[in-house]
Amino acid sequence: MRPAIALAIISLLTVLMAVVGVALVTVLAATGLFEDAEWGQDLLGGQGFAVRLIAVMLLSLAVIAVTVGTKLAAAILGIIVVIKGDGKLRIGASLLLAVALMGLFFSFSMDGSMLSGTFESVLSVLATLAQLVQWGVSLAGIVILGLGIREVRRARAGYALDLR
């Protein structure tokens, strides 16, 4: 039961981190903060450049480590729940395991400078749709896993009442 609960929590945190990341990028792009030429020159040049560069690199490495760590933890917990669980626990864990493994071993990227406008737009829409499907499958897996956890708790509570 504990691996199933941990899997649900980690998967929910992974989805929330992805949604917050997309929202943050969208807000930063809409405000045009990174498009200011003076801001870029101030960041990349001047006094303290090495410290800022190291800080950005360490922050990037931390984000990568947390992302890979949560996906790896979700994959391991998913395998444990698929093996030990049954019914809805197994179905929910299978969905979450599939999402974790897809995100851990596969990625999608494109270089806009090499693509034409229409083709780039189509690939951008497909990438967005793939991300939405991934979030949808993750949320469906979390819901099904939660229903399975509730079933197991009710069954255990009923079994405990029968023993009295």
Side-chain angles (χ1 to χ4, degrees), residues 76-90:
I76 292 169
L77 289 169
I79 291 169
I80 291 170
V81 175
V82 166
I83 291 171
K84 291 186 175 185
D86 62 341
K88 290 180 182 173
L89 285 177
R90 184 173 285 166

Side-chain angles (χ1 to χ4, degrees), residues 25-37 39:
V25 167
T26 304
V27 167
L28 290 175
T31 60
L33 181 64
F34 290 119
E35 295 176 7
D36 187 16
W39 181 86

Side-chain angles (χ1 to χ4, degrees), residues 6-158:
L7 176 60
I9 291 169
I10 287 175
S11 297
L12 188 60
L13 287 175
T14 301
V15 170
L16 289 176
M17 284 187 337
V19 170
V20 167
V22 168
L24 183 63
V25 167
T26 304
V27 167
L28 290 175
T31 60
L33 181 64
F34 290 119
E35 295 176 7
D36 187 16
E38 290 180 23
W39 181 86
Q41 289 174 356
D42 290 342
L43 179 68
L44 296 177
Q47 208 168 14
F49 168 71
V51 172
R52 288 189 297 264
L53 182 64
I54 291 171
V56 168
M57 289 173 55
L58 288 176
L59 182 62
S60 299
L61 287 174
V63 168
I64 290 169
V66 167
T67 302
V68 170
T70 56
K71 289 197 181 283
L72 189 60
I76 292 169
L77 289 169
I79 291 169
I80 291 170
V81 175
V82 166
I83 291 171
K84 291 186 175 185
D86 62 341
K88 290 180 182 173
L89 285 177
R90 184 173 285 166
I91 294 169
S94 297
L95 289 172
L96 294 172
L97 179 62
V99 169
L101 291 177
M102 289 296 288
L104 198 57
F105 295 114
F106 299 104
S107 68
F108 178 79
S109 64
M110 63 181 173
D111 186 8
S113 63
M114 296 177 61
L115 303 172
S116 68
T118 305
F119 189 63
E120 182 180 3
S121 297
V122 169
L123 286 179
S124 176
V125 168
L126 288 176
T128 302
L129 287 175
Q131 184 67 49
L132 290 173
V133 166
Q134 184 178 8
W135 290 344
V137 171
S138 294
L139 291 175
I142 292 168
V143 168
I144 293 170
L145 189 64
L147 293 173
I149 291 169
R150 189 171 67 182
E151 277 183 7
V152 170
R153 284 187 173 168
R154 284 185 180 170
R156 286 184 180 176

